[in-house]
Amino acid sequence: MTTGEETAYGPDGDPYALALLPGRAPVYLRLADGRRLRMPVHRWFASPTAADRTVLECCAGPVLDVGCGPGRLCRELLNRGVFALGVDIAPRAVALTTALGGLALCRSVFDRLPAESGWQTVLLIDGNIGIGGDPRGLLRRCAGLVSSTGRLVVEVDRRDVEEFCTARIEDVHGNSGPPFPWARLGRRALHGVAEDLDLDVTAQWTSGHRCFAALTHRAPAGTTGAAPRRER
């Protein structure tokens, strides 16, 4: 029962940590204006979907999966013979990833990470473009992690949105964890941020209800880059 006071949780007792237990009830992202967005927990634990496979097919190793959760993508890449490492700030997420055969570090993307500037692919999937509430800062950081020939693969909102907000993870009973900054970004806004950071959107596609884009470092002046691949 919600009392209006913030519930105190242990490290494995907050709604997000509980959501990482297979078979748990749904959890939501509660925004400051009252909107509630259901989080796709079922997808985190399932085999890669058709949309996920479109992402996996454009991953060249080594791959860094930012906000990996239980690690479905980095584990599948390893199964395909592509080296992949997940990073997540939740100890339970990292434990699940490794228990299921993946590789992961309990670390923020803004912490020091292995092989900086050496990753061929950096993934921001399942809404993780919202990490930290600052997509520009997040993409700048990820661009510093990827090699000069690598790419960022980003899932964006299917709506034309650019939203910066405060959110909480909430369970079905209305119990919520602490507030944190979050963001949502659609394709048009992503193009604007990429332009400011000297990144090129080299591909974008839709699979089902999910939308993705690939970004690379901008080619030096005087060179000819490939035109972005756009959906029909």
Side-chain angles (χ1 to χ4, degrees):
M1 178 176 172
T2 303
T3 64
E5 298 179 356
E6 187 171 308
T7 304
Y9 294 101
D12 284 330
D14 67 86
Y16 174 57
L18 292 176
L20 292 170
L21 292 173
R24 295 293 303 190
V27 293
Y28 302 88
L29 195 66
R30 175 72 75 176
L31 305 183
D33 63 5
R35 283 175 294 158
R36 192 174 78 163
L37 308 176
R38 184 165 176 169
M39 300 183 73
V41 177
H42 62 286
R43 191 165 73 218
W44 300 349
F45 290 96
S47 298
T49 63
D52 290 332
R53 290 194 292 274
T54 68
V55 171
L56 295 167
E57 287 162 6
C58 67
C59 286
V63 178
L64 184 68
D65 183 6
V66 176
C68 65
R72 80 182 186 284
L73 297 181
C74 55
R75 287 187 284 109
E76 177 61 22
L77 285 166
L78 286 171
N79 289 338
R80 295 180 177 208
V82 178
F83 179 82
L85 176 71
V87 293
D88 201 294
I89 61 170
R92 189 186 293 278
V94 172
L96 281 166
T97 298
T98 55
L100 293 170
L103 300 172
L105 293 176
C106 189
R107 202 169 297 180
S108 165
V109 65
F110 296 104
D111 293 338
R112 184 71 181 175
L113 293 171
E116 299 210 2
S117 300
W119 299 95
Q120 279 298 115
T121 310
V122 172
L123 300 179
L124 288 167
I125 307 300
D126 295 329
N128 285 332
I129 187 64
I131 289 173
D134 177 15
R136 186 182 307 272
L138 177 61
L139 286 173
R140 182 183 294 111
R141 168 58 174 156
C142 290
L145 293 169
V146 76
S147 75
S148 60
T149 58
R151 61 171 51 181
L152 311 178
V153 182
V154 181
E155 183 169 358
V156 293
D157 201 286
R158 66 179 182 269
R159 292 167 287 272
D160 185 15
V161 63
E162 185 174 14
E163 182 177 9
F164 310 97
C165 56
T166 299
R168 295 172 181 262
I169 304 296
E170 183 177 279
D171 65 19
V172 292
H173 305 293
N175 300 313
S176 61
F180 55 89
W182 195 248
R184 298 167 64 215
L185 212 65
R187 282 181 176 167
R188 182 180 299 180
L190 179 69
H191 276 262
V193 173
E195 177 70 24
D196 291 346
L197 296 177
D198 288 332
L199 298 170
D200 286 327
V201 179
T202 54
Q204 52 188 29
W205 66 97
T206 298
S207 180
H209 297 293
R210 298 171 66 192
C211 300
F212 307 93
L215 292 77
T216 61
H217 292 286
R218 182 161 298 158
T223 62
T224 301
R229 173 170 63 83
R230 298 179 181 274
E231 62 181 296
R232 292 182 179 180

